[in-house]
Amino acid sequence: MSLHKAQSKVAVILCVVLQCAAADSPVDSTAHLFNFLFIALTHLDWNAEATLIHFQGQYLTICELDYTILQGEIQNTPKNKTAVDIGEFCLVEDLTSARWYRGRVQNRKEDLFDVFLIDHGNVLSVNIDHISSCSSELFILPPKIVCGFLANVLLLKGSCSVIDEYLANLIGQSVTGYIQALLPHKVLLLEASDINNNIVRHGLGRHVDTETFLLLVEMLTEVQLKQNIEPVPDLLIEKPRGQEFSFKPSGLRGHEQILSFCGPRLPCGTRAKVRVTAAVKPGLFYCQMVSKETELWEMSRKLAEVCEYTTKEHTQKTPENLGLLCSIKGKDGRWYRGFVQYLPVNSQVRVLFIDYGFLESVKVENVHKLPSGIYSTPIMAFPCSLSCLSDQDEALKTQQLSFLKAGLLGKVLDVDIRGFDEDRLLYPITVIGAEDNRVKKPEIIQEIPAMKIESVFEREEFKTLNETLEEEELQVNSVFVGYVEHVQNPSNFWIRTQKRNDEFEEMMAKMSDHFDQVKLDEDVLLNPELGTMCCAVYEEDMHFYRGVVTDTLEHGAEVLFIDFGNIEKVPHMLIKKIPETFASKSAFAICCSLVNVIPLDEVWTNATSCFFKRAVSNKALLVHVVEVKKNKFVVDLKEMGVKTIRASLKPVAQKNTEKTRCPEYGVTSDVNECNEQWEDCEDEEKKSTKETDKVQTPASFKALTITPGCDFAVRCISISSPSEFWCQPLDKAQELEELMAKVQHYYSTKRVPLRSGDSCCVAVSPKDKRGYRAFVIEQMNQHVKVMLVDFGNTIMINEHNLQAIMPEFLNLEGLAFRCSLYNGIEPAAHKNSGYWTPEVLNTMTDFVLNSAGALRCKVVSQLNIKDKGLCNVVDLHNAQSKQSITKLLVEQGMATEAAISTKQMSTVFPESFTYSSYDLTPGKEEHVFITHVSSHCELYCHLERNTEVIELLETKISEESEKMIQASTKAVVNKLCLAKYLDGKWYRGLTHPVQSPLHLNVFFVDYGNTNISEKNHVMLIPRDSGELLYTPMQALRCSLASVSKGEFYADVKEWLDGAILNKQVRAVIVGNSDDGSFDVELFDGDVNINEKVNELIFSLSPKPKANISFDINSIQGYQKSLSSDITKPSVKCKNQRNRRSSSSPACKAHRGTQAERETHKKTGNTRSVRGKKQHNNTKVKQGNEGNTKNHVPEKPLKSSPDKDQREYLDTNTKSKHTQLTEETQIPQLSCLPNMKVGGSFMAKCFVSHIDSVDSFFLQLSVDESAILKMVEDLNSGVLRDSLTAATSLRINDLVLAEYEEDGALYRAVVKDFEGSSCLKVEFVDYGNSAVIAKEKIYSIPKEYLSQPRFGIPCSLLYTNLYKDDESFTEAVMEKPLWVDFVCQWGTQWKVKIEIHEVPAILGATKAALKSSVKASDWADAVIPSKIQAGTENATFLSVLSNGNFYIRLNKTSELLAALKSRIADNLYKCKVVAEEDVKVGLKCLVKVDKDTQWHRAVVQHVGLGKSQVLLVDQGVSEEIPNGLIRNTCSDLTEIQNLAVLCKVHSLGFSERACADTSCWETLQLLVDKEVKLTFVCYSKVDQLWVVEIVMNGLFLVQQNEMIQTPAETRNETEEEEKIHLDVNTSPLQQLVFAPVDIDKMYPGFAAAVTTPFEFCLVLEDLLLIMNKLSLMLDDLPEQMPPLPEVHLVPGTCCLIKSESKNKWCRAEIVNADTIAVLNLVDYGHCECMQCEDFSELKVLPAEMTNIPKVTFPCILRGVKPVDEDGQWTDDAAVFFQQCLYQKNLQIFFREFESNTHWKVDILADAFVSQFYWFSPHMLTLLGFII
């Protein structure tokens, strides 16, 4: 006995369902319907007979820890061995593992049980001794495995292997599905649209409508389905779940309106072969004549031509007259005729497919007008019923039902049509037999002429270039002066000629004048089509320029600015029609490419493009036209009087053919012979290049950039063996999917013939008829062998299946790359043969499938395999389990580590050296030798433990170099070489070409540096030198962790060269990058190199001085005001409005009015002081780095790291001030507490000082009062008198400094020494710096060291969001900012900034806010910690028993999301609270089982093992195990509680009334709904907000207020004091409606129906209230007070003993004359009473007055009677009653009329009650006017 997979899981599932049928267990068709399911598939199989697909999967949201704990509990639970019935849950033991599992008995044969393991998906066969019953507590967790069938799709027979392969590829994928129905034991019918669409598109199956599929499942399982099962919305994945609309089953009754009149008329006794196309039951299904199938396909083809092809030119709109025949695009992509019966809902419409008989929802845009020529074609579907259903012969019934089942599964039925049933409007038939479907669908002939379509961008470029050529009169070899307008890279830039410059300026001036007169909403280009000329706004300067639409977006378009060359996204309103005057001129910009340059790595780097842009911008250039291509000029550029531009492009290589192999040649010591050998190689390359040029095709695929060391996520698409398999980069999967969709769409409507000689093409696969990007390998007769470049496999196809590939399909690289584990391992059992066993292949396949989504590929090296081409030697590993396939095969004995054989060397040629990570992982510590410093943040090193390997390698190099010099002829490897360095020794290297024909660029792979070497000092390595070729590269590339990489600091690099080059240091691995490099932290002794580098960078960073202006007023002798004017760029701060005062040390605590500030600004009453300019010439852009010093790649010196410690001099400190650095008691900056920020912290801030986007300072809004208080305290007279001058200062000492402009003291830190008498300080609470005389610097008292620095140094995370520093300053200065502190980078915080304007204060008066209002007064309005009186939208969270309730403001939704993120980030800081420490009132974090998330909470009650807590952001109470309670941390308490406690401000909802459960139930209806609240006041006593709830424009409680007489109003106080209320003077009793939302759908049913203007509805939501009310009425006492006579007025509510109901009912008086008319408010109809019987009316008990009316009096919206008297005819009334009675209704409240009735729209069983689906003639006959 052991765990095993079921042989046929479909059979098992069907068996279980059949057993349930025997037990009369019907399908649960209501539970979980209309629920989405998100699972990961773990198993798929299918039944060839039933063609159903069975699946098993796991929930994506399960917590593995819960199941692990459960498994432990199962093992420890006492076992009670007993027999268990089929279908019951139990525990079962697996003997092989001796472990117990949860299971359900599937089958039983005597004492042998088959048990399905609900958490594993397997079946275990055991005897009764290994079965145990158990407690239900072990089954609280749901089964881990979900199983069922994929709905609405049936597989086709005959493609078993393909289907199995496809299903196997789905294993491990995540699936979103829609639950159609629930079979016994939670067996699901799940519609997974993505899988269904793929199956149908690949021809593996067919789509089946919902009702037909449900009938088929019913017949296969023999389980009676409930007929009211609700089908799934057909567009289940197309829209968000909240927008889905559910239709009731139609029962396929559409034939009553159409098909009975227009369907085929068949004579009695007709015998025909038919196909079942739709069915709902054996008594109602639709058939088609098989003979009509060809005609149907032809009609579908014609519809496709008309609807898909012609509508591209003219946008097709859906016909407005619903109910007409139309063209519909189905789910399978084919076009059909349809009949629209219903109104569109959520942009989808329910349509009857009239030629097939089924209903389906389609997008509105897929409904088109039916071509006139197809109206006359007869309807193909006809309704049928099995004639034997009323027969008593059970054998005949069984036979006929089996035939029908065969028909549903796709077989053709031979039927005898008995006649036509006039009553049921269908044909009774008898099925004679069933046969397999052998009808082939005819091939759709493509009649659209072949044509080549270019992209809009290229077409417009070609068009504009031709026009410009004529205008400019340019041709090849022309020379002109021009200006570069826009640069992408050296291959794509745009030039404007000097010749037309004046014309251009004139046009721009006229265009500016024209659009100055055009308003925003005028001349807007509506529905811009591709290629349309326009004028559009450029965002940077907000001016209009000419453009062409290149792509359309949802809210705008992409526009090519033809006079500049750039493409931008522009909103619709800013795209205007172009006047003819401007449209007639040709484009002024010409697209150009620089001659004879290509990028080194096939793509232009950003640094190169930026360098080129700087080289050509803002200057006149001499342009030489070398060549004119289709859409661009190839030019040579020269700056006036300077060398050509291309000569200075260092990162650019001249064109060469690197892939051409060098021939075999001899290597001798003679220099001339060496040169001859290189010349031979070059001659061969030139020859190959010429030959390539001759056959070069215009189309070519881009290659993926893969280098050794790369580690990236992949998906394995094809596995032949471990020696050959193909992968795709996972990050490109989405792009490939989109590209494939575009390819299918394009080539489905067009044919583009392949030109002779073209190799790149689109190939249509014969298997799935899909087009794939391909490359022609070989042509044989009429067949062609092609390789699919995105999938790697090679196929043989007919020539006619090839088409030319369009240029837009070449942008994406060929994604498939060949891989091998070739030189890492070899077969263990077949060392001689080299073959891999099938077992190995299966193991590797399983590894790949089990690693879906987590599979990563590490490239070790690259080989060129003979007759195959480039192959990447890789190691596949699972990123989650950290398991490697190579190690797995070796550990299991299937493979052994391989050695390089001589035979292998003859067929395999290395393209690169081998990469090794040397098992370095984060956290490891290594001793390393630094061999090369590339920049201030990147270096190369050796591992100290590899010293012996390096020495052996050097010895081998020395030996091989001697042999190579002496050898005459050897086969060599291209690019891999030995190169002689400056020390005369040879080292391994990788060659790259340079411009000089006598030199090569050599990268020394074992040391990391690069050198330009003469060719006679370079020897290519022979192919048989295995040790040289396959020994891993020894130089490890490392980046200094946390060191900025944005700019290049030459001084820092020079310091690193002297400090650590050729030295041994200690390296701690922080992380590894995808490119194979490592992030490290270096230590030389105790000195942290990374920190030192950051300090040097900080000291070298330019800090422009600030011009500080201020206003002088006499408030306590000092006041501050700042206007910061940065020297480069010049930035002036705007005057502050409603802004706090303290933004820098130049600001005063005083806050004057706005008028005062304006006065100061105008009079210019300011002074300024400028600091010295800093020298910042040591910082240069990395792209401008010249040839840095190359270091000899010699063996690192083994000097002891314990040698005398080097002095690390601070570059900011001058030597003559060293006497100031002696030890003192003055505190340093590091003594201050940590700042109040952390990673992912978000807060509202203000900018206090700006140097640039890379250096500015922020102050937290919450710190404002602390900053002001500190300034006030520091400048008090008492403190000043006690201060002492600071002496013996050091860098970073913390002091008090007097700011020269205002004479005030501020905290500051010493940054540098300026001469002998001054110091440069930075004001730590503001950020700006100043040079201060020593006598104005004082020691800081200890009490001012307790506050952290308030000025937070920051830099923007994304600096490209602002054009320059000035625009950034303009945007953020003096404005409230919402700041996300992302991470700390050195001493700065990387931040993301969102600008928040000052919000309107809730409840504020219309008067403008005075400038004296503090920022803190409105700052809290942004972060709603404090609510002010006014109206807000909120979500109703919960209702307490006393009627109080919790809400959460909608404007805090972003704050809630940020809080969740912060909780996740800080969870590790929050420790579990000991059970004895759990006290009432404890603020904590708790984990809630419902969503498995952590929430903030406060403990309300402590119990044994569990505590009740209030979730302070959700407003609900939960019972939590004490072990799941954690302490909270300060980072989580800074955000206020988001759940706000409130109570209703109204008599109708007073505390006394709210104590009633009826009031609670009224408020309970609002839970989880959005409400509008008016905040009245805050009750400090109750600590809650008093609010009004606004519904439909009125206060909810206004409907509940009691009507009082004037006397009662006057005596209200006295009435409240009375213990007993006199009935005669009590207020009138009135009832209110339950609150509803306008335009929201409510399920319900009709209570009473008279006419469309008089009927009552009941909502399903009120059924519980109805039941509660009924119980209260049944329990009324016998003696009740009568209704006072004064209350006999319309509107009063009371109790009446109803004769029709024979019970007490609540009633409302409608009329009270001689006869009283009373409306039974909970039933919807009226009763009458004579005046003498008025005494029978009773006072309504108080507890019933708060329960809303159960029924809603309604009027049907949008209809009126035909008769002029406005009365409904009897026919109309009866018809309307029949439509609503006993129907499930979907009700939409539209308008509340006269405070008595609701105008509504209704869907009755998916039929619209407005009767739009009937013809006007029919409605007129019934008495309706629409």
Side-chain angles (χ1 to χ4, degrees), residues 993-1039:
V994 293
Q995 296 180 7
S996 169
L998 301 176
H999 295 81
L1000 287 171
N1001 190 11
V1002 179
F1003 172 69
F1004 293 97
V1005 297
D1006 297 317
Y1007 294 88
N1009 58 317
T1010 302
N1011 191 44
I1012 302 295
S1013 300
E1014 296 180 25
K1015 284 187 176 179
N1016 58 351
H1017 287 165
V1018 178
M1019 298 185 295
L1020 298 180
I1021 300 176
R1023 294 177 185 172
D1024 58 0
S1025 299
E1027 290 187 52
L1028 298 186
L1029 294 174
Y1030 296 104
T1031 299
M1033 297 179 284
Q1034 297 300 308
L1036 289 176
R1037 183 155 61 99
C1038 300
S1039 297

Side-chain angles (χ1 to χ4, degrees), residues 80-226:
N80 178 21
K81 297 180 174 55
T82 182
V84 183
D85 292 335
I86 292 176
E88 290 185 359
F89 290 108
C90 64
L91 297 182
V92 59
E93 183 183 19
D94 174 31
L95 287 185
T96 58
S97 62
R99 293 183 67 81
W100 291 80
Y101 301 92
R102 298 195 302 172
R104 186 178 57 241
V105 177
Q106 299 279 63
N107 195 14
R108 177 179 181 180
K109 292 181 181 178
E110 296 179 354
D111 287 339
L112 188 64
F113 293 79
D114 287 337
V115 182
F116 177 73
L117 304 188
I118 62 174
D119 297 323
H120 299 273
N122 304 93
V123 175
L124 189 64
S125 295
V126 298
N127 60 35
I128 195 170
D129 295 332
H130 303 284
I131 297 279
S132 172
S133 60
C134 63
S135 168
S136 60
E137 291 183 359
L138 294 179
F139 288 87
I140 294 176
L141 275 182
K144 196 173 179 181
I145 293 295
V146 182
C147 61
F149 300 98
L150 295 184
N152 292 7
V153 66
L154 294 177
L155 293 175
L156 301 177
K157 299 178 182 179
S159 305
C160 297
S161 60
V162 178
I163 292 172
D164 290 340
E165 182 181 355
Y166 174 74
L167 295 182
N169 289 333
L170 293 177
I171 303 299
Q173 292 190 13
S174 297
V175 172
T176 301
Y178 213 81
I179 301 174
Q180 292 277 24
L182 196 61
L183 297 171
H185 301 305
K186 308 298 182 183
V187 177
L188 307 179
L189 296 183
L190 183 73
E191 180 171 3
S193 290
D194 291 340
I195 295 178
N196 290 4
N197 292 340
N198 285 333
I199 288 174
V200 174
R201 187 170 65 245
H202 288 89
L204 303 178
R206 62 187 177 93
H207 171 72
V208 182
D209 69 279
T210 301
E211 298 196 26
T212 303
F213 183 81
L214 294 178
L215 175 63
L216 178 59
V217 172
E218 178 183 330
M219 300 182 74
L220 290 171
T221 59
E222 301 178 11
V223 174
Q224 181 65 39
L225 285 166
K226 293 182 181 179

